[in-house]
């Protein structure tokens, strides 16, 4: 018995109906930071004359609606998707589809490419994307998933917990000023145990002389350690640890310096991939052209001028974090 291919038309139509729903509930996640802290933000009348809800993310501050980040938000072919979707499982050329629908062939080509990329975003396994036959095979440029480096995470977490320990029975460290070993615990209380060097007569704690010195965001820095080996953009890391982009950039730099201190050979520091950006072969969400130029958290396609933001889905599998292929999130306006 032959195995039935997944019904990509039903799958997409259900998703389209959900996105076009005029109901406020259920609240969607934020398309920019994937946060769940979302509130209703009024309604907006769309081009089809239907009022649909808008939302505001309490985490990153962005406003959006259910069409944001989907093919349906594209002004060039969003209104024609309903006529193109039924043809997706048919093995016909884009030219034949254009003739049947009385549309320019370039519109069909770009819509099919965008629908394939949307299917991959909805179903990263590629099960539904492989069921698309319209226009022939389409191998989108996708970087392989990247898993968390357990060695980097283990060493940095152990180092972090040792330095920030408040256990009075833990052996005293050497003096960071003179490397002397004659130290004792002075009287008095502080957030971290203090030590007094009998040689140079200076006070210090375990963080003195490390990149953690005077860092008031220890919890966020520790949370960042697990993401350090994943190639995630700074704006996504900032949303994950709930900090500003500038502070996240500083924390990544401090952890990179600590890697060099722990392993002067540079092998540990080479495993740090935080702050990465997509390669030049990653296609634009709108037109499919690998011509997106990145600047900070924003990108702009040189072909269709679409405004985009890079993103990688993160999930935990077998106890390790995994960053999926690069995706694009549309920014407001084009």
């Amino acid at each position: 018995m032959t195995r039935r291919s997944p019904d990509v038309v039903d799958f997409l139509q259900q998703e389209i109906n959900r996105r076009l729903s005029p109901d406020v509930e259920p609240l969607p996640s934020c398309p920019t930071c994937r946060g769940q802290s979302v509130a209703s933000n009024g309604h907006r009348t769309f081009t089809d004359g239907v009022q649909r809800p808008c939302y505001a993310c309490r985490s990153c501050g962005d406003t959006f609606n259910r069409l944001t980040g989907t093919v349906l938000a594209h002004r060039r072919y969003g209104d024609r998707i309903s006529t193109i979707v039924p043809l997706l499982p048919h093995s016909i050329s884009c030219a034949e589809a254009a003739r049947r629908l009385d549309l320019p062939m370039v519109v069909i080509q770009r819509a099919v490419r965008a629908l394939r990329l949307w299917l991959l975003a909805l179903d990263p396994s590629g099960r539904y994307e492989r069921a698309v036959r319209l226009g022939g095979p389409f191998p989108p440029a996708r970087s392989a998933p990247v898993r968390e480096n357990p060695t980097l995470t283990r060493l940095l977490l152990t180092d972090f917990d040792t330095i920030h320990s408040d256990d009075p029975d833990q052996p005293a460290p050497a003096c960071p000023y003179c490397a002397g070993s004659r130290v004792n615990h002075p009287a008095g209380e502080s957030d971290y145990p203090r030590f007094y060097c009998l040689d140079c007569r200076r006070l210090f704690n375990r963080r003195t002389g490390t990149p953690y010195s005077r860092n008031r965001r220890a919890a966020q820095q520790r949370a960042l350690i697990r993401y350090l080996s994943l190639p995630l953009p700074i704006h996504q890391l900032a949303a994950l640890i709930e900090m500003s982009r500038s502070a996240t950039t500083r924390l990544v730099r401090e952890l990179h310096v600590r890697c060099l201190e722990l392993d002067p050979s540079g092998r540990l520091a080479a495993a740090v991939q935080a702050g990465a950006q997509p390669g030049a072969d990653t296609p634009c969400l709108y037109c499919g052209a690998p011509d997106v130029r990145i600047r900070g958290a924003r990108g702009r396609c040189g072909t269709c001028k679409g405004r985009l933001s890079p993103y990688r889905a993160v999930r935990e599998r077998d106890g390790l974090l995994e960053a999926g292929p690069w995706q694009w999130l549309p920014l407001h306006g084009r």
Side-chain angles (χ1 to χ4, degrees):
M1 186 175 80
T2 59
R3 186 178 178 181
R4 183 177 179 269
S5 61
D7 196 335
V8 63
V9 177
D10 288 347
F11 177 77
L12 266 181
Q13 197 58 57
Q14 290 175 9
E15 183 65 21
I16 290 172
N17 292 340
R18 186 177 70 84
R19 300 281 182 167
L20 295 177
S21 171
D23 299 329
V24 175
E25 300 287 346
L27 298 178
S29 59
C30 174
T32 301
C33 68
R34 304 295 178 180
Q36 302 296 322
S37 182
V38 172
S40 177
N41 191 37
H43 288 72
R44 169 189 159 194
T45 302
F46 286 72
T47 54
D48 58 2
V50 178
Q51 278 198 341
R52 296 191 176 90
C54 297
Y55 305 91
C57 178
R58 295 191 181 98
S59 299
C60 66
D62 274 5
T63 57
F64 60 94
N65 56 67
R66 286 198 181 98
L67 305 189
T68 303
T70 72
V71 185
L72 302 174
H74 197 288
R75 66 185 181 187
R76 293 184 181 177
Y77 42 72
D79 296 337
R80 298 160 176 159
I81 292 299
S82 60
T83 61
I84 298 174
V85 166
L87 298 180
L88 290 179
H90 297 281
S91 300
I92 60 176
S93 65
C94 288
E96 173 60 19
R99 187 190 63 80
R100 294 185 186 183
L101 301 177
D102 192 25
L103 292 172
M105 187 174 70
V106 67
V107 171
I108 302 296
Q109 290 173 331
R110 292 178 175 178
V112 171
R113 186 180 295 267
L115 283 168
R116 283 183 180 272
L117 292 172
W118 192 28
L119 282 169
L120 287 171
L122 294 172
D123 175 34
S125 70
R127 175 171 172 260
Y128 288 99
E129 189 272 335
R130 288 191 295 269
V132 176
R133 299 288 182 266
L134 176 59
F138 168 66
R142 302 180 69 203
S143 53
V146 179
R147 302 199 77 187
E148 175 187 359
N149 187 314
T151 302
L152 175 66
T153 300
R154 183 180 67 256
L155 290 177
L156 280 181
L157 285 179
T158 301
D159 176 66
F160 186 93
D161 292 340
T162 299
I163 288 177
H164 290 79
S165 172
D166 57 359
D167 184 3
D169 298 327
Q170 187 170 321
C175 175
Y177 299 108
C178 68
S181 58
R182 297 197 310 141
V183 299
N184 62 16
H185 290 272
E189 296 183 358
S190 63
D191 293 338
Y192 299 99
R194 293 188 302 167
F195 304 92
Y196 178 73
C197 178
L198 299 176
D199 294 327
C200 66
R201 300 183 179 181
R202 300 181 73 172
L203 287 170
F204 63 93
N205 58 40
R206 290 190 177 92
R207 302 196 309 170
T208 305
T210 73
Y212 307 125
S213 179
R214 298 184 180 180
N215 177 27
R216 298 181 180 179
R217 300 180 180 273
Q220 285 88 342
Q221 195 167 35
R222 192 182 192 282
L224 180 62
I225 288 176
R226 290 202 64 190
Y227 299 104
L228 207 61
S229 58
L230 299 180
L232 301 175
I234 288 295
H235 70 276
Q236 185 177 354
L237 288 170
L240 288 170
I241 65 174
E242 298 182 350
M243 288 186 64
S244 68
R245 294 172 186 171
S246 60
T248 302
T249 301
R250 177 178 59 81
L251 293 184
V252 170
R253 183 171 60 248
E254 290 174 351
L255 289 170
H256 189 268
V257 169
R258 189 57 179 170
C259 287
L260 291 173
E261 292 177 352
L262 295 174
D263 179 19
S265 70
R267 286 190 293 268
L268 192 63
V272 177
Q273 300 190 54
Q277 297 285 14
D281 60 347
T282 306
C284 170
L285 170 70
Y286 294 125
C287 68
D291 192 21
V292 179
R293 297 144 196 184
I294 302 296
R295 185 175 181 181
R298 299 172 180 269
R300 195 170 186 88
C301 179
T303 301
C304 71
K305 309 305 179 186
R307 297 174 61 201
L308 307 157
S309 178
Y311 172 84
R312 295 184 84 138
V314 179
R315 64 174 180 173
E316 185 164 352
R317 189 169 68 176
D318 300 329
L320 292 176
L321 297 177
E322 182 180 88
W326 282 108
Q327 301 176 27
W328 291 112
L329 297 176
L331 295 172
H332 299 298
R334 281 178 52 79

